[in-house]
Amino acid sequence: MAAGNNLDNEVKQKESSDNAFSEGQDSDSASINAGDNAENVLQEEEDIPAEESASAEEASGNADGSSPENSSKEEAGTSGKKEKRFGRKKDKNIEKLEEKLAELEDKRVRQLAEFENFRKRSAKEKSQMFETGAKTVVEKILPVIDNFERGLAGVLEDEKETPFVQGVELVYKQLVTALDELGVKPIDAVGKEFDPNLHNAVMAVDDDSLESGTVAEEMLKGYMYNESVVRHSMVKVVN
């Protein structure tokens, strides 16, 4: 009897353990199913606002009378207009820069021309100033030449060979040579036609051997420095 009772107890314990195991599995599957259901609910709740927002945007678009295609076209047209406006502004800026460049180039050319004229004018003025200064010096020396010529012209024939007269004549020739090298030349007058630019008539004479208007005699020798007259020749002219 005791053995039979123990066997009954073991069978009861095994059944109770099986029931507990099955209940545990049922509880685990129930919890798993509950979790899946909760995730599905959350997903549905997330999908609903997205769909509602899309439908709201479509509804607002339909209410305004515009579609997504129209909005994209409007955006493309707006960008095109902006590009055109930007292109026009750019063209205007380029035109202004080109005008400014042309103006500066014109100023540069004018300044170069003015500088070239200034350079030529300055060189001419310097040359004239140098010539004026040289003529002033020559004018101061010419009376010395005149006195040498007068002194040598008054020497007697027997005194021309003396050392003193020969020394004076050498100094005179050296002075005339130096002036000639500097461009100072005497003016030819005797036998030439009277020229008021070169000659200064101080007396009129009768001379049948010469034509009227011809220089008969030179009273004071005239000189030229390069192409300008330093001193006019003082002459007698035939009537």
Side-chain angles (χ1 to χ4, degrees), residues 17-35:
S17 64
D18 292 337
N19 291 329
F21 179 75
S22 62
E23 288 178 358
Q25 286 182 347
D26 292 336
S27 63
D28 292 337
S29 62
S31 63
I32 291 170
N33 292 330

Side-chain angles (χ1 to χ4, degrees), residues 8 38 114 149 168 178 187 231 234:
D8 292 334
E114 289 178 359
E149 291 178 349
V168 171
I187 298 174
R231 186 177 71 181
M234 298 178 65

Side-chain angles (χ1 to χ4, degrees), residues 118-136:
F118 171 76
R119 187 184 65 80
K120 291 179 179 179
R121 185 169 59 252
S122 298
K124 186 177 180 180
E125 289 177 355
K126 289 179 180 179
S127 177
Q128 290 177 350
M129 290 174 63
F130 180 80
E131 186 174 351
T132 301
K135 286 172 66 176
T136 302

Side-chain angles (χ1 to χ4, degrees), residues 12-189:
K12 289 179 181 180
Q13 289 178 358
K14 186 177 181 181
E15 289 178 352
S16 62
S17 64
D18 292 337
N19 291 329
F21 179 75
S22 62
E23 288 178 358
Q25 286 182 347
D26 292 336
S27 63
D28 292 337
S29 62
S31 63
I32 291 170
N33 292 330
D36 294 337
N37 292 330
E39 290 179 357
N40 293 330
V41 170
L42 291 174
Q43 185 65 33
E44 289 177 356
E45 289 179 354
E46 290 177 356
D47 294 339
I48 289 170
E51 293 176 355
E52 289 179 354
S53 62
S55 62
E57 289 179 356
E58 291 177 357
S60 63
N62 294 328
D64 295 336
S66 62
S67 62
E69 294 179 357
N70 293 330
S71 63
S72 64
K73 289 180 181 180
E74 289 177 357
E75 290 177 357
T78 305
S79 62
K81 290 180 180 178
K82 289 181 179 179
E83 289 178 358
K84 288 181 180 179
R85 290 177 182 174
F86 180 74
R88 291 175 183 174
K89 290 181 180 179
K90 188 175 181 181
D91 293 339
K92 289 182 179 179
N93 292 332
I94 291 174
E95 289 177 358
K96 289 181 180 179
L97 290 174
E98 288 178 351
E99 291 177 358
K100 186 68 175 177
L101 181 62
E103 183 180 354
L104 293 174
E105 181 65 17
D106 182 67
K107 287 183 178 179
R108 186 185 71 84
V109 173
R110 290 178 182 274
Q111 287 178 353
L112 287 175
E114 289 178 359
F115 177 76
E116 184 65 19
N117 293 333
F118 171 76
R119 187 184 65 80
K120 291 179 179 179
R121 185 169 59 252
S122 298
K124 186 177 180 180
E125 289 177 355
K126 289 179 180 179
S127 177
Q128 290 177 350
M129 290 174 63
F130 180 80
E131 186 174 351
T132 301
K135 286 172 66 176
T136 302
V137 174
V138 172
E139 287 177 355
K140 299 294 184 181
I141 295 174
L142 291 180
V144 179
I145 301 293
D146 297 336
N147 290 330
F148 270 110
E149 291 178 349
R150 292 190 187 99
L152 293 173
V155 175
L156 300 175
E157 290 294 333
D158 55 353
E159 294 179 353
K160 288 183 179 180
E161 299 299 328
T162 59
F164 177 76
V165 174
Q166 289 181 354
V168 171
E169 188 173 0
L170 288 174
V171 174
Y172 166 71
K173 288 180 180 179
Q174 185 178 5
L175 185 58
V176 171
T177 302
L179 291 175
D180 183 73
E181 291 176 354
L182 293 174
V184 180
K185 308 287 184 182
I187 298 174
D188 293 333

Side-chain angles (χ1 to χ4, degrees), residues 153-237:
V155 175
L156 300 175
E157 290 294 333
D158 55 353
E159 294 179 353
K160 288 183 179 180
E161 299 299 328
T162 59
F164 177 76
V165 174
Q166 289 181 354
V168 171
E169 188 173 0
L170 288 174
V171 174
Y172 166 71
K173 288 180 180 179
Q174 185 178 5
L175 185 58
V176 171
T177 302
L179 291 175
D180 183 73
E181 291 176 354
L182 293 174
V184 180
K185 308 287 184 182
I187 298 174
D188 293 333
V190 178
K192 302 291 183 180
E193 184 179 359
F194 176 76
D195 186 355
N197 296 322
L198 302 175
H199 309 137
N200 184 13
V202 296
M203 188 179 297
V205 295
D206 295 329
D207 192 342
D208 297 335
S209 61
L210 298 173
E211 296 181 357
S212 177
T214 303
V215 176
E217 184 181 349
E218 184 180 53
M219 300 177 64
L220 183 64
K221 188 180 292 184
Y223 289 89
M224 294 184 65
Y225 174 69
N226 293 332
E227 300 297 329
S228 60
V229 177
V230 179
R231 186 177 71 181
H232 291 76
S233 300
M234 298 178 65
V235 296
K236 296 178 181 180
V237 183

